Amino acid sequence: MQLQFQQAARALILLAFSSLIFKLHFTGEITKFINPKYESLSQVASVIFLILFFIQITRTWKVKKSSYHHCDQHDHDCDHNHDHGDSSFNTKKLISYFIIVFPLLTGFLLPAKVLDASIANKKGAILALSNQKQAPKEDKNKENSNPPEVMEESNINGQANPSIDDNPVDPALLENQQEEISEEEYNQLIQQLEQNQNIEMNDYVYAAYYEEMSKDINKFKGRKIELKGFVYKEDGFAQNQLVISRFLITHCVADASIIGFLSEFPEASSLDKDTWIKANGVIEITTYNGKELPVIKITDWEKISEPIEPYLYPISVKIL
Amino acid sequence: MIRIIRGHMIDITGIIIIALALFLFSFSSSIKDTFVIPPSWLNLNTIFLSILIEALPFVLIGVLIAGVIQIFVTEEHIQRWIPKNKVMAVIMSCIVGALFPACECGIVPIVRRLVVKGVPIHAAMGFMLTGPLINPIVIASTYMAFGNDFKIAGLRMGLGFLVAIMVAFAVSWIFKGNQFKASIISVSTHNHSKNQSLSTRFWSMLTHSIDEFFDMGKYLVMGAFLAAFVQTYMPAKSLLEAGNGPASSIIVMMGLAYVLSLCSEADAFIGASFSSIFPVSSILGFLIFGPMIDLKNTLLMLSVFRFKFVMVLLALVVSMVFITLMLLQSFL
């Protein structure tokens, strides 16, 4: 019998991958990497690695003419388009093993980090934030005639449906926080947003509300809003300006996009980047680089600690 | 005594390896406080690991599917299924790819196995280009990301299919043979699977999968690291500001799709977030080019195919997507 060091090393690597993924799930750190919706997929990966580990273990000892070492048997006729780990060890192989081990080392040894304002800057935050459909001229004309109408409407809503104002979102819908909702339920959420004078941007509805508000910010002018997020600033902001921002994760942290609202209040200059705050304010409209942008006039705010789940995830709507 | 040890050698090695892993496991928490690491490195590491964690299930499943093909599909099957006519072969492979739900990292080991089994290179490329781009999850996510509108999703699928067919034709004119790397000696695989029992074949499929994982693993790691590096240190802002004209904006968005290396299921939302800055044609460039070839995927292909082949394929896809979008720009 002869110990195959390379085979043993491969077994160790497979087990390490399995346990790294397991560890991330066990400690809950996995939410810092991927959208919890896809958690089960990475659990599958962990289990496959474990199975492969048990298979690999049988190859660590080479017994001559052993019955379980099949690759030896058909070495002459099996397709040799990959390395079986039997060939001799050299520098090139050392490098390729190091490359594979590298993520294991950083995964075990380095802490997971929540993305911060510096990444937001690299992603071109303000470009993403000014994601408003630029209102064509026709719309501007309409806009002039709109405000009284909107006022009227909101008055009616305010009187007729006071209960809706107290209940920002259908509580049943919120409590469940189902992974998938039907299109009907989604439309219901959006309808509630449109009727509410007080918009509460909680984690569950944030992405949906944000998208809806981006479509036509004028509709939401003058409404109260409550939101939380981390402070992001950029060169060119006034002293009293900052962005209360969040990262939206579709699949994994690599596809994070930044969303948030430009906010104005006197104490803004005293707040550092990455400070988490919770704020109330009123939605107004401003222009930034020639684009219409919502700006929130903050009425009151407080510092909070970073939430356990710092990221937002889009609501997935069942289509079929 | 020695005999007992010998008899349980495998179990003992297993236990030692598990103990080693546990040691790493417990050791990991103590080391975190001793070093001061720049936050940007930690950002890089987090993005790097997240790309890996996202891609690993797909690569593993791809490797296992490749193993199943290895066992159950013979060269005779392939010869019977694939039309002799090049045109028919390309069109058929693109349709099969469109029906086959895959992602761009999982499809490379499958394509490699298919080529080993004798699938002509142009058909394999048609399959590889449409597989990740056209599938139900991608259609659904694109539909949702663009405000429940089928226009973008439809254009993405339609134009993507067209580009894939054109690239596959070009490949069929330029290249012959399997285009594997020189280090890969591909001796065709037949007969050994027939006279072995199913369990034996199954077992050898699993061990092959392990070897295949280690082959591709290093390229996957490098690809993920490069993509994460670009995300952490390259300011997208200056890049985006460079794209003013119709041509340059398409190039910028395609470049972005290439370096970000997003999974095709997730990139629709990112693409949608640019729709106010860029015209529809460049958004489509992002959506069509990204799933076909990106940084992570290029490295995976380099683990299988010749450098020259990968570069020519990349150039073909870039130019086809670009030309198609430029021609259609006025209609969009």
Side-chain angles (χ1 to χ4, degrees), chain A residues 52 55 59 67-74 78-79 82 84, chain B residues 63-64 66-68 70-71 113 192-193 196-212:
Chain A
L52 293 182
I55 292 159
R59 301 164 90 194
S67 59
Y68 50 76
H69 213 85
H70 298 289
C71 240
D72 282 345
Q73 288 182 344
H74 53 75
C78 93
D79 53 322
H82 50 71
H84 289 280
Chain B
V63 161
L64 289 176
V68 171
Q70 160 78 11
I71 297 184
R113 183 60 57 199
H192 81 275
S193 43
Q196 283 169 358
S197 69
L198 188 69
S199 65
T200 317
R201 280 156 63 186
F202 191 69
W203 188 260
S204 80
M205 169 205 126
L206 288 172
T207 52
H208 270 96
S209 300
I210 293 172
D211 297 331
E212 201 144 8

Side-chain angles (χ1 to χ4, degrees), chain B residues 136-153:
Chain B
I137 304 167
V138 177
I139 296 176
S141 71
T142 315
Y143 171 76
M144 259 160 58
F146 287 89
N148 294 4
D149 182 7
F150 260 120
K151 187 190 161 211
I152 299 283

Side-chain angles (χ1 to χ4, degrees), chain A residues 57-68:
Chain A
I57 272 294
T58 62
R59 301 164 90 194
T60 53
W61 292 93
K62 191 174 188 176
V63 184
K64 268 167 199 158
K65 285 172 190 164
S66 87
S67 59
Y68 50 76

Side-chain angles (χ1 to χ4, degrees), chain B residues 82-133:
Chain B
I82 303 242
K84 289 279 172 298
N85 184 329
K86 266 187 187 174
V87 179
M88 288 305 293
V90 163
I91 291 173
M92 195 196 87
S93 70
C94 286
I95 292 171
V96 171
L99 297 175
F100 187 80
C103 89
E104 75 265 30
C105 19
I107 204 159
V108 176
I110 300 175
V111 164
R112 156 153 116 174
R113 183 60 57 199
L114 287 175
V115 175
V116 168
K117 286 281 179 188
V119 173
I121 192 78
H122 47 268
M125 287 305 112
F127 177 73
M128 196 184 81
L129 295 178
T130 49
L133 177 63

Side-chain angles (χ1 to χ4, degrees), chain A residues 11 14-15 48-57, chain B residues 14 17-18:
Chain A
L14 289 173
L15 183 64
I48 295 178
F49 272 125
L50 195 64
I51 295 169
L52 293 182
F53 160 70
F54 283 118
I55 292 159
Q56 178 65 20
I57 272 294
Chain B
I17 288 172
I18 291 171

Side-chain angles (χ1 to χ4, degrees), chain A residues 1 3 8 10-15 17 19-24 29-30 32-34 41-42 44-45 48-49 52-53 55-61 68 70-71 73-74 76-85 96-97 99-100 102-103 106-116 118-119 121-124 126-128 130-133 183 211 215 234 250-257 291 314-317 319, chain B residues 6 9-10 13-14 17-18 20-21 24-25 27-29 31-32 37 39 42-43 45-54 56-58 60-61 64 70 112-113 116 140 143-145 147-148 180 183-192 196 200 203-204 206-215 217-219 221-222 225 231-237 240-241 260 262-263 265-266 269-270 272-277:
Chain A
M1 269 188 168
L3 176 67
R10 286 180 168 208
L12 179 63
I13 290 169
L14 289 173
L15 183 64
F17 268 112
S19 54
L20 175 63
I21 298 172
F22 178 77
K23 179 201 147 191
L24 292 177
E29 275 186 323
I30 195 79
K32 290 182 184 168
F33 294 102
I34 56 169
L41 205 59
S42 74
V44 167
I48 295 178
F49 272 125
L52 293 182
F53 160 70
I55 292 159
Q56 178 65 20
I57 272 294
T58 62
R59 301 164 90 194
T60 53
W61 292 93
Y68 50 76
H70 298 289
C71 240
Q73 288 182 344
H74 53 75
H76 47 280
D77 65 356
C78 93
D79 53 322
H80 259 201
N81 56 357
H82 50 71
D83 171 29
H84 289 280
S96 54
Y97 276 112
I99 291 171
I100 289 187
F102 181 70
T106 64
F108 276 116
L109 301 182
L110 299 179
K113 190 169 184 307
V114 174
L115 296 185
D116 60 20
S118 67
I119 288 288
N121 193 20
K122 291 285 183 296
K123 285 186 182 281
I126 202 67
L127 281 170
S130 56
N131 182 19
Q132 308 299 328
K133 302 269 183 288
E183 200 152 4
E211 196 200 326
K215 281 182 193 159
E234 206 165 84
T250 312
H251 204 144
C252 75
V253 175
D255 61 51
S257 56
K291 277 179 180 145
I315 303 177
S316 47
V317 182
I319 296 176
Chain B
R6 277 201 178 157
M9 210 53 118
I10 287 162
T13 345
I17 288 172
I18 291 171
L20 249 166
L24 249 179
F25 205 84
F27 187 60
S28 63
S29 47
I31 204 164
K32 276 174 190 167
I37 296 155
L42 292 180
N43 278 333
N45 182 46
T46 307
I47 296 177
F48 165 53
L49 287 176
S50 90
I51 295 178
L52 263 189
I53 291 171
E54 183 202 29
L56 277 175
F58 294 107
L60 285 175
I61 292 167
L64 289 176
Q70 160 78 11
R112 156 153 116 174
R113 183 60 57 199
V116 168
Y143 171 76
M144 259 160 58
N148 294 4
F180 281 145
S183 58
I184 295 176
I185 313 145
S186 63
V187 180
S188 56
T189 61
H190 28 134
N191 44 38
H192 81 275
Q196 283 169 358
T200 317
W203 188 260
S204 80
L206 288 172
T207 52
H208 270 96
S209 300
I210 293 172
D211 297 331
E212 201 144 8
F213 169 74
F214 276 90
D215 266 7
K218 55 177 183 278
Y219 291 93
V221 169
M222 284 193 284
F225 188 82
Q231 280 214 15
T232 328
Y233 293 106
M234 184 197 75
K237 215 178 141 189
L240 294 177
E241 279 161 359
L260 289 183
L262 301 172
C263 216
E265 277 106 58
F269 290 91
I270 306 293
S273 73
F274 290 110
S275 51
S276 64
I277 318 170

Side-chain angles (χ1 to χ4, degrees), chain B residues 293-328:
Chain B
I293 292 192
D294 58 31
L295 191 54
K296 182 175 61 177
N297 186 253
T298 308
L299 278 157
L300 274 176
M301 280 200 284
L302 284 174
S303 75
V304 182
F305 297 109
R306 262 185 241 154
F307 182 78
K308 192 185 147 206
F309 175 73
V310 176
M311 288 303 125
V312 171
L313 183 72
L314 181 62
L316 279 174
V317 177
V318 170
S319 48
M320 291 293 180
V321 172
F322 182 73
I323 292 167
T324 312
L325 288 173
M326 283 306 278
L327 288 177
L328 289 174

